[in-house]
Amino acid sequence: MLADAMKRPAGFMAELDESLVWSAILLLAIGLVMVYSASIATAEAGRLTKFQPTYYLVRHSIFLGIGLAAGFAVFQMPMHRWQQIAPWLFAIAALLLVIVLVPGLGTKVNGSRRWLRFMGLNFQPSELAKLAVVLYAADYTVRKAAFMGSFRKGFLPMAAVMLFAGTLLLWEPDFGAFTVITVIAMGLLFLGGMNWRLFAGLMLLLIVGFITLVLVAPYRLQRVTGFLDPWADPLKTGYQLSHALIAFGRGEWIGVGLGASVEKLFYLPEAHTDFLLAVIGEEFGFLGVITVLGLFAWLVTRAFAIGRQAARLDRSFAALVAQGVGLWIGTQALINMGVNLGVLPTKGLTLPLLSFGGSGLVANIVAVAILLRVDYENRQLMLGRAA
């Protein structure tokens, strides 16, 4: 496959959606710069980082390289192969979600058991699970197309599988990842032709379920109440959000300048991961935030456009995968931005393609590479060539 790729003509890039490629590249570049800017003070002061200011930059760069190599590799795989391995990939992801809960195997950080340690690096199975859910839900919807109007034959089997995966995520606990995979699965079932009345009823049940999950867990309820009024308790439940809002306020229209953020100096927790957007807002102001928002909006728009084109070419699985990637990246980015801006309760979700986090970065790049593969096959078919 690699040899075939090297023989491709110089105009190969013209056979891809260049605007999609550049939007992803710009997000990755912004992420690399901002992870360094947001983490330098923390890295300099930490024993675990050996007081090296470039600690997070180096690690982010390594994962970025791994992600790009993985993305190039998966781009070579035709979409029909992805459809064949989708159930197996989901089974592997589910197995890893079980393993991470085993004491002694899973690594516990800040009260959550979400990581597996491998060769000195932490791997987060929930990130693989998001990719696996996109592929599995797309394959399931295509296979069960004739039963999408049936609760028992169409929805129930998928619901049982997602409930199993969701329960594992809630045990970690990782409510953010649970929310994302739920949106992906439900979104693809709807796009695949689920009866709208059935879908509306299920959405109502999901809303009730989410409210119940919040009410039965005191820490989730505290996050909701803290999000509604962060200034009521700015030193405890509202601490992260209040400092995020201070960062946006300091940035105003054009920001205080790259590297000049004050909030990243041990005031704003998780500045290089969950709250990276707040640092972007402080250093580049409204202009920086709207640029990032625009890049995500374009990437998601192109994902759905590529999916629609695949559907017009009777490539149902590829169409749903493209739209599933759009749902994944769009939902996670929207939640992260909402948390940073104080319009959603605090959730442990990173900003796709930007935030520090090796597993998430690699998974996001692989997802974009698969999206580009769908686009590439669409263009080949429209040119009368074999995909």
Side-chain angles (χ1 to χ4, degrees), residues 146-175:
F147 304 107
M148 280 296 103
S150 168
F151 176 82
R152 185 173 63 87
K153 294 182 178 180
F155 173 78
L156 202 56
M158 182 67 171
V161 172
M162 290 299 106
L163 184 61
F164 173 70
T167 301
L168 294 175
L169 288 170
L170 290 175
W171 272 345
E172 293 184 4
D174 193 346
F175 192 67

PDB file of all heavy atoms in Angstrom, residues 146-175:
ATOM      1  N   ALA A 146     -33.436  -2.192   6.929  1.00  0.00           N
ATOM      2  CA  ALA A 146     -34.832  -2.581   6.728  1.00  0.00           C
ATOM      3  C   ALA A 146     -35.637  -2.548   8.023  1.00  0.00           C
ATOM      4  O   ALA A 146     -36.875  -2.606   7.986  1.00  0.00           O
ATOM      5  CB  ALA A 146     -34.894  -3.986   6.121  1.00  0.00           C
ATOM      6  N   PHE A 147     -34.944  -2.456   9.165  1.00  0.00           N
ATOM      7  CA  PHE A 147     -35.646  -2.510  10.451  1.00  0.00           C
ATOM      8  C   PHE A 147     -35.548  -1.208  11.238  1.00  0.00           C
ATOM      9  O   PHE A 147     -35.812  -1.188  12.448  1.00  0.00           O
ATOM     10  CB  PHE A 147     -35.065  -3.650  11.306  1.00  0.00           C
ATOM     11  CG  PHE A 147     -35.102  -4.986  10.641  1.00  0.00           C
ATOM     12  CD1 PHE A 147     -33.931  -5.563  10.165  1.00  0.00           C
ATOM     13  CD2 PHE A 147     -36.294  -5.661  10.472  1.00  0.00           C
ATOM     14  CE1 PHE A 147     -33.956  -6.795   9.544  1.00  0.00           C
ATOM     15  CE2 PHE A 147     -36.331  -6.900   9.854  1.00  0.00           C
ATOM     16  CZ  PHE A 147     -35.154  -7.469   9.382  1.00  0.00           C
ATOM     17  N   MET A 148     -35.161  -0.123  10.585  1.00  0.00           N
ATOM     18  CA  MET A 148     -34.971   1.137  11.300  1.00  0.00           C
ATOM     19  C   MET A 148     -36.269   1.710  11.872  1.00  0.00           C
ATOM     20  O   MET A 148     -36.240   2.578  12.741  1.00  0.00           O
ATOM     21  CB  MET A 148     -34.309   2.180  10.383  1.00  0.00           C
ATOM     22  CG  MET A 148     -32.817   2.022  10.241  1.00  0.00           C
ATOM     23  SD  MET A 148     -31.898   2.273  11.789  1.00  0.00           S
ATOM     24  CE  MET A 148     -31.518   0.583  12.264  1.00  0.00           C
ATOM     25  N   GLY A 149     -37.397   1.215  11.414  1.00  0.00           N
ATOM     26  CA  GLY A 149     -38.674   1.670  11.958  1.00  0.00           C
ATOM     27  C   GLY A 149     -39.153   0.813  13.108  1.00  0.00           C
ATOM     28  O   GLY A 149     -40.199   1.073  13.697  1.00  0.00           O
ATOM     29  N   SER A 150     -38.375  -0.217  13.451  1.00  0.00           N
ATOM     30  CA  SER A 150     -38.793  -1.162  14.472  1.00  0.00           C
ATOM     31  C   SER A 150     -37.998  -0.941  15.763  1.00  0.00           C
ATOM     32  O   SER A 150     -36.762  -0.916  15.736  1.00  0.00           O
ATOM     33  CB  SER A 150     -38.585  -2.604  13.975  1.00  0.00           C
ATOM     34  OG  SER A 150     -38.723  -3.533  15.026  1.00  0.00           O
ATOM     35  N   PHE A 151     -38.708  -0.837  16.867  1.00  0.00           N
ATOM     36  CA  PHE A 151     -38.032  -0.679  18.154  1.00  0.00           C
ATOM     37  C   PHE A 151     -37.297  -1.963  18.529  1.00  0.00           C
ATOM     38  O   PHE A 151     -36.147  -1.924  18.969  1.00  0.00           O
ATOM     39  CB  PHE A 151     -39.057  -0.329  19.234  1.00  0.00           C
ATOM     40  CG  PHE A 151     -38.472  -0.246  20.609  1.00  0.00           C
ATOM     41  CD1 PHE A 151     -37.830   0.908  21.029  1.00  0.00           C
ATOM     42  CD2 PHE A 151     -38.556  -1.325  21.487  1.00  0.00           C
ATOM     43  CE1 PHE A 151     -37.279   0.989  22.299  1.00  0.00           C
ATOM     44  CE2 PHE A 151     -38.007  -1.252  22.762  1.00  0.00           C
ATOM     45  CZ  PHE A 151     -37.363  -0.091  23.166  1.00  0.00           C
ATOM     46  N   ARG A 152     -37.947  -3.108  18.348  1.00  0.00           N
ATOM     47  CA  ARG A 152     -37.372  -4.379  18.776  1.00  0.00           C
ATOM     48  C   ARG A 152     -36.225  -4.838  17.892  1.00  0.00           C
ATOM     49  O   ARG A 152     -35.178  -5.259  18.387  1.00  0.00           O
ATOM     50  CB  ARG A 152     -38.466  -5.468  18.807  1.00  0.00           C
ATOM     51  CG  ARG A 152     -37.989  -6.813  19.351  1.00  0.00           C
ATOM     52  CD  ARG A 152     -39.157  -7.779  19.510  1.00  0.00           C
ATOM     53  NE  ARG A 152     -39.770  -8.070  18.227  1.00  0.00           N
ATOM     54  CZ  ARG A 152     -39.341  -9.044  17.416  1.00  0.00           C
ATOM     55  NH1 ARG A 152     -38.309  -9.784  17.745  1.00  0.00           N
ATOM     56  NH2 ARG A 152     -39.959  -9.266  16.276  1.00  0.00           N
ATOM     57  N   LYS A 153     -36.375  -4.723  16.580  1.00  0.00           N
ATOM     58  CA  LYS A 153     -35.355  -5.235  15.674  1.00  0.00           C
ATOM     59  C   LYS A 153     -34.328  -4.194  15.258  1.00  0.00           C
ATOM     60  O   LYS A 153     -33.194  -4.545  14.928  1.00  0.00           O
ATOM     61  CB  LYS A 153     -36.017  -5.800  14.403  1.00  0.00           C
ATOM     62  CG  LYS A 153     -36.874  -7.026  14.651  1.00  0.00           C
ATOM     63  CD  LYS A 153     -37.443  -7.558  13.341  1.00  0.00           C
ATOM     64  CE  LYS A 153     -38.278  -8.820  13.568  1.00  0.00           C
ATOM     65  NZ  LYS A 153     -38.835  -9.338  12.290  1.00  0.00           N
ATOM     66  N   GLY A 154     -34.730  -2.922  15.289  1.00  0.00           N
ATOM     67  CA  GLY A 154     -33.821  -1.877  14.836  1.00  0.00           C
ATOM     68  C   GLY A 154     -33.057  -1.203  15.954  1.00  0.00           C
ATOM     69  O   GLY A 154     -31.820  -1.168  15.951  1.00  0.00           O
ATOM     70  N   PHE A 155     -33.798  -0.724  16.946  1.00  0.00           N
ATOM     71  CA  PHE A 155     -33.144   0.061  18.000  1.00  0.00           C
ATOM     72  C   PHE A 155     -32.625  -0.772  19.160  1.00  0.00           C
ATOM     73  O   PHE A 155     -31.530  -0.544  19.669  1.00  0.00           O
ATOM     74  CB  PHE A 155     -34.113   1.124  18.530  1.00  0.00           C
ATOM     75  CG  PHE A 155     -33.578   1.856  19.727  1.00  0.00           C
ATOM     76  CD1 PHE A 155     -32.623   2.862  19.579  1.00  0.00           C
ATOM     77  CD2 PHE A 155     -34.000   1.524  21.006  1.00  0.00           C
ATOM     78  CE1 PHE A 155     -32.110   3.519  20.679  1.00  0.00           C
ATOM     79  CE2 PHE A 155     -33.490   2.183  22.120  1.00  0.00           C
ATOM     80  CZ  PHE A 155     -32.546   3.186  21.951  1.00  0.00           C
ATOM     81  N   LEU A 156     -33.411  -1.739  19.631  1.00  0.00           N
ATOM     82  CA  LEU A 156     -33.093  -2.448  20.863  1.00  0.00           C
ATOM     83  C   LEU A 156     -31.719  -3.118  20.865  1.00  0.00           C
ATOM     84  O   LEU A 156     -30.975  -2.985  21.852  1.00  0.00           O
ATOM     85  CB  LEU A 156     -34.189  -3.468  21.175  1.00  0.00           C
ATOM     86  CG  LEU A 156     -34.301  -3.901  22.638  1.00  0.00           C
ATOM     87  CD1 LEU A 156     -34.485  -2.702  23.546  1.00  0.00           C
ATOM     88  CD2 LEU A 156     -35.466  -4.880  22.799  1.00  0.00           C
ATOM     89  N   PRO A 157     -31.321  -3.844  19.797  1.00  0.00           N
ATOM     90  CA  PRO A 157     -29.985  -4.464  19.813  1.00  0.00           C
ATOM     91  C   PRO A 157     -28.862  -3.427  19.935  1.00  0.00           C
ATOM     92  O   PRO A 157     -27.900  -3.631  20.677  1.00  0.00           O
ATOM     93  CB  PRO A 157     -29.916  -5.203  18.468  1.00  0.00           C
ATOM     94  CG  PRO A 157     -31.333  -5.441  18.093  1.00  0.00           C
ATOM     95  CD  PRO A 157     -32.078  -4.243  18.591  1.00  0.00           C
ATOM     96  N   MET A 158     -29.001  -2.316  19.213  1.00  0.00           N
ATOM     97  CA  MET A 158     -27.992  -1.258  19.278  1.00  0.00           C
ATOM     98  C   MET A 158     -27.983  -0.628  20.667  1.00  0.00           C
ATOM     99  O   MET A 158     -26.908  -0.342  21.227  1.00  0.00           O
ATOM    100  CB  MET A 158     -28.303  -0.191  18.221  1.00  0.00           C
ATOM    101  CG  MET A 158     -27.282   0.936  18.160  1.00  0.00           C
ATOM    102  SD  MET A 158     -25.673   0.353  17.575  1.00  0.00           S
ATOM    103  CE  MET A 158     -24.839   1.914  17.368  1.00  0.00           C
ATOM    104  N   ALA A 159     -29.158  -0.431  21.235  1.00  0.00           N
ATOM    105  CA  ALA A 159     -29.261   0.172  22.562  1.00  0.00           C
ATOM    106  C   ALA A 159     -28.577  -0.703  23.601  1.00  0.00           C
ATOM    107  O   ALA A 159     -27.904  -0.198  24.512  1.00  0.00           O
ATOM    108  CB  ALA A 159     -30.720   0.385  22.933  1.00  0.00           C
ATOM    109  N   ALA A 160     -28.726  -2.020  23.481  1.00  0.00           N
ATOM    110  CA  ALA A 160     -28.109  -2.935  24.438  1.00  0.00           C
ATOM    111  C   ALA A 160     -26.589  -2.842  24.383  1.00  0.00           C
ATOM    112  O   ALA A 160     -25.911  -2.803  25.417  1.00  0.00           O
ATOM    113  CB  ALA A 160     -28.561  -4.362  24.146  1.00  0.00           C
ATOM    114  N   VAL A 161     -26.050  -2.779  23.167  1.00  0.00           N
ATOM    115  CA  VAL A 161     -24.592  -2.683  22.997  1.00  0.00           C
ATOM    116  C   VAL A 161     -24.082  -1.356  23.548  1.00  0.00           C
ATOM    117  O   VAL A 161     -23.069  -1.301  24.261  1.00  0.00           O
ATOM    118  CB  VAL A 161     -24.227  -2.831  21.504  1.00  0.00           C
ATOM    119  CG1 VAL A 161     -22.742  -2.546  21.283  1.00  0.00           C
ATOM    120  CG2 VAL A 161     -24.557  -4.229  21.012  1.00  0.00           C
ATOM    121  N   MET A 162     -24.770  -0.250  23.219  1.00  0.00           N
ATOM    122  CA  MET A 162     -24.343   1.063  23.691  1.00  0.00           C
ATOM    123  C   MET A 162     -24.516   1.202  25.204  1.00  0.00           C
ATOM    124  O   MET A 162     -23.719   1.870  25.873  1.00  0.00           O
ATOM    125  CB  MET A 162     -25.153   2.167  22.982  1.00  0.00           C
ATOM    126  CG  MET A 162     -24.822   2.341  21.513  1.00  0.00           C
ATOM    127  SD  MET A 162     -23.085   2.795  21.219  1.00  0.00           S
ATOM    128  CE  MET A 162     -22.446   1.245  20.571  1.00  0.00           C
ATOM    129  N   LEU A 163     -25.544   0.554  25.756  1.00  0.00           N
ATOM    130  CA  LEU A 163     -25.747   0.590  27.198  1.00  0.00           C
ATOM    131  C   LEU A 163     -24.594  -0.108  27.914  1.00  0.00           C
ATOM    132  O   LEU A 163     -24.122   0.357  28.960  1.00  0.00           O
ATOM    133  CB  LEU A 163     -27.074  -0.080  27.560  1.00  0.00           C
ATOM    134  CG  LEU A 163     -27.470  -0.047  29.043  1.00  0.00           C
ATOM    135  CD1 LEU A 163     -27.624   1.392  29.520  1.00  0.00           C
ATOM    136  CD2 LEU A 163     -28.765  -0.833  29.259  1.00  0.00           C
ATOM    137  N   PHE A 164     -24.124  -1.211  27.338  1.00  0.00           N
ATOM    138  CA  PHE A 164     -22.982  -1.926  27.910  1.00  0.00           C
ATOM    139  C   PHE A 164     -21.740  -1.038  27.911  1.00  0.00           C
ATOM    140  O   PHE A 164     -21.070  -0.873  28.941  1.00  0.00           O
ATOM    141  CB  PHE A 164     -22.720  -3.204  27.104  1.00  0.00           C
ATOM    142  CG  PHE A 164     -21.462  -3.920  27.501  1.00  0.00           C
ATOM    143  CD1 PHE A 164     -21.360  -4.564  28.722  1.00  0.00           C
ATOM    144  CD2 PHE A 164     -20.373  -3.948  26.634  1.00  0.00           C
ATOM    145  CE1 PHE A 164     -20.202  -5.227  29.089  1.00  0.00           C
ATOM    146  CE2 PHE A 164     -19.199  -4.599  26.992  1.00  0.00           C
ATOM    147  CZ  PHE A 164     -19.108  -5.248  28.226  1.00  0.00           C
ATOM    148  N   ALA A 165     -21.442  -0.443  26.749  1.00  0.00           N
ATOM    149  CA  ALA A 165     -20.274   0.441  26.653  1.00  0.00           C
ATOM    150  C   ALA A 165     -20.440   1.669  27.549  1.00  0.00           C
ATOM    151  O   ALA A 165     -19.493   2.102  28.207  1.00  0.00           O
ATOM    152  CB  ALA A 165     -20.062   0.878  25.199  1.00  0.00           C
ATOM    153  N   GLY A 166     -21.649   2.226  27.576  1.00  0.00           N
ATOM    154  CA  GLY A 166     -21.904   3.402  28.390  1.00  0.00           C
ATOM    155  C   GLY A 166     -21.753   3.119  29.877  1.00  0.00           C
ATOM    156  O   GLY A 166     -21.229   3.955  30.630  1.00  0.00           O
ATOM    157  N   THR A 167     -22.189   1.945  30.310  1.00  0.00           N
ATOM    158  CA  THR A 167     -22.049   1.572  31.716  1.00  0.00           C
ATOM    159  C   THR A 167     -20.583   1.492  32.112  1.00  0.00           C
ATOM    160  O   THR A 167     -20.189   1.948  33.194  1.00  0.00           O
ATOM    161  CB  THR A 167     -22.736   0.215  31.969  1.00  0.00           C
ATOM    162  OG1 THR A 167     -24.115   0.312  31.627  1.00  0.00           O
ATOM    163  CG2 THR A 167     -22.611  -0.195  33.426  1.00  0.00           C
ATOM    164  N   LEU A 168     -19.763   0.927  31.238  1.00  0.00           N
ATOM    165  CA  LEU A 168     -18.325   0.851  31.506  1.00  0.00           C
ATOM    166  C   LEU A 168     -17.730   2.252  31.644  1.00  0.00           C
ATOM    167  O   LEU A 168     -16.893   2.501  32.516  1.00  0.00           O
ATOM    168  CB  LEU A 168     -17.625   0.080  30.383  1.00  0.00           C
ATOM    169  CG  LEU A 168     -17.982  -1.405  30.248  1.00  0.00           C
ATOM    170  CD1 LEU A 168     -17.310  -1.998  29.017  1.00  0.00           C
ATOM    171  CD2 LEU A 168     -17.590  -2.187  31.494  1.00  0.00           C
ATOM    172  N   LEU A 169     -18.153   3.167  30.773  1.00  0.00           N
ATOM    173  CA  LEU A 169     -17.639   4.540  30.836  1.00  0.00           C
ATOM    174  C   LEU A 169     -18.084   5.240  32.118  1.00  0.00           C
ATOM    175  O   LEU A 169     -17.318   6.001  32.716  1.00  0.00           O
ATOM    176  CB  LEU A 169     -18.107   5.327  29.614  1.00  0.00           C
ATOM    177  CG  LEU A 169     -17.449   4.946  28.283  1.00  0.00           C
ATOM    178  CD1 LEU A 169     -18.167   5.611  27.114  1.00  0.00           C
ATOM    179  CD2 LEU A 169     -15.970   5.327  28.270  1.00  0.00           C
ATOM    180  N   LEU A 170     -19.312   4.989  32.549  1.00  0.00           N
ATOM    181  CA  LEU A 170     -19.805   5.621  33.776  1.00  0.00           C
ATOM    182  C   LEU A 170     -19.122   5.049  35.012  1.00  0.00           C
ATOM    183  O   LEU A 170     -19.012   5.729  36.034  1.00  0.00           O
ATOM    184  CB  LEU A 170     -21.323   5.453  33.878  1.00  0.00           C
ATOM    185  CG  LEU A 170     -22.151   6.261  32.871  1.00  0.00           C
ATOM    186  CD1 LEU A 170     -23.624   5.913  33.002  1.00  0.00           C
ATOM    187  CD2 LEU A 170     -21.945   7.753  33.075  1.00  0.00           C
ATOM    188  N   TRP A 171     -18.662   3.817  34.945  1.00  0.00           N
ATOM    189  CA  TRP A 171     -17.931   3.230  36.064  1.00  0.00           C
ATOM    190  C   TRP A 171     -16.547   3.857  36.227  1.00  0.00           C
ATOM    191  O   TRP A 171     -15.969   3.826  37.308  1.00  0.00           O
ATOM    192  CB  TRP A 171     -17.795   1.720  35.869  1.00  0.00           C
ATOM    193  CG  TRP A 171     -18.948   0.944  36.422  1.00  0.00           C
ATOM    194  CD1 TRP A 171     -19.906   1.380  37.282  1.00  0.00           C
ATOM    195  CD2 TRP A 171     -19.259  -0.431  36.135  1.00  0.00           C
ATOM    196  NE1 TRP A 171     -20.811   0.385  37.547  1.00  0.00           N
ATOM    197  CE2 TRP A 171     -20.448  -0.746  36.862  1.00  0.00           C
ATOM    198  CE3 TRP A 171     -18.689  -1.415  35.344  1.00  0.00           C
ATOM    199  CZ2 TRP A 171     -21.034  -2.006  36.815  1.00  0.00           C
ATOM    200  CZ3 TRP A 171     -19.269  -2.668  35.300  1.00  0.00           C
ATOM    201  CH2 TRP A 171     -20.433  -2.960  36.018  1.00  0.00           C
ATOM    202  N   GLU A 172     -15.988   4.415  35.147  1.00  0.00           N
ATOM    203  CA  GLU A 172     -14.616   4.950  35.257  1.00  0.00           C
ATOM    204  C   GLU A 172     -14.487   6.076  36.291  1.00  0.00           C
ATOM    205  O   GLU A 172     -13.470   6.064  37.009  1.00  0.00           O
ATOM    206  CB  GLU A 172     -14.138   5.402  33.875  1.00  0.00           C
ATOM    207  CG  GLU A 172     -13.960   4.254  32.896  1.00  0.00           C
ATOM    208  CD  GLU A 172     -13.400   4.706  31.555  1.00  0.00           C
ATOM    209  OE1 GLU A 172     -13.076   5.908  31.415  1.00  0.00           O
ATOM    210  OE2 GLU A 172     -13.264   3.863  30.659  1.00  0.00           O
ATOM    211  N   PRO A 173     -15.236   7.106  36.430  1.00  0.00           N
ATOM    212  CA  PRO A 173     -16.333   7.516  35.535  1.00  0.00           C
ATOM    213  C   PRO A 173     -15.840   8.503  34.468  1.00  0.00           C
ATOM    214  O   PRO A 173     -14.922   9.279  34.712  1.00  0.00           O
ATOM    215  CB  PRO A 173     -17.277   8.236  36.506  1.00  0.00           C
ATOM    216  CG  PRO A 173     -16.366   8.835  37.535  1.00  0.00           C
ATOM    217  CD  PRO A 173     -15.163   7.939  37.646  1.00  0.00           C
ATOM    218  N   ASP A 174     -16.499   8.462  33.293  1.00  0.00           N
ATOM    219  CA  ASP A 174     -16.187   9.386  32.209  1.00  0.00           C
ATOM    220  C   ASP A 174     -17.506   9.798  31.556  1.00  0.00           C
ATOM    221  O   ASP A 174     -17.880   9.286  30.496  1.00  0.00           O
ATOM    222  CB  ASP A 174     -15.247   8.721  31.195  1.00  0.00           C
ATOM    223  CG  ASP A 174     -14.642   9.713  30.209  1.00  0.00           C
ATOM    224  OD1 ASP A 174     -15.157  10.847  30.146  1.00  0.00           O
ATOM    225  OD2 ASP A 174     -13.685   9.363  29.511  1.00  0.00           O
ATOM    226  N   PHE A 175     -18.209  10.706  32.220  1.00  0.00           N
ATOM    227  CA  PHE A 175     -19.524  11.131  31.755  1.00  0.00           C
ATOM    228  C   PHE A 175     -19.426  11.865  30.420  1.00  0.00           C
ATOM    229  O   PHE A 175     -20.337  11.794  29.595  1.00  0.00           O
ATOM    230  CB  PHE A 175     -20.171  12.037  32.807  1.00  0.00           C
ATOM    231  CG  PHE A 175     -21.625  12.300  32.582  1.00  0.00           C
ATOM    232  CD1 PHE A 175     -22.561  11.282  32.687  1.00  0.00           C
ATOM    233  CD2 PHE A 175     -22.071  13.571  32.268  1.00  0.00           C
ATOM    234  CE1 PHE A 175     -23.906  11.527  32.479  1.00  0.00           C
ATOM    235  CE2 PHE A 175     -23.418  13.829  32.058  1.00  0.00           C
ATOM    236  CZ  PHE A 175     -24.337  12.797  32.173  1.00  0.00           C
TER     237      PHE A 175
END
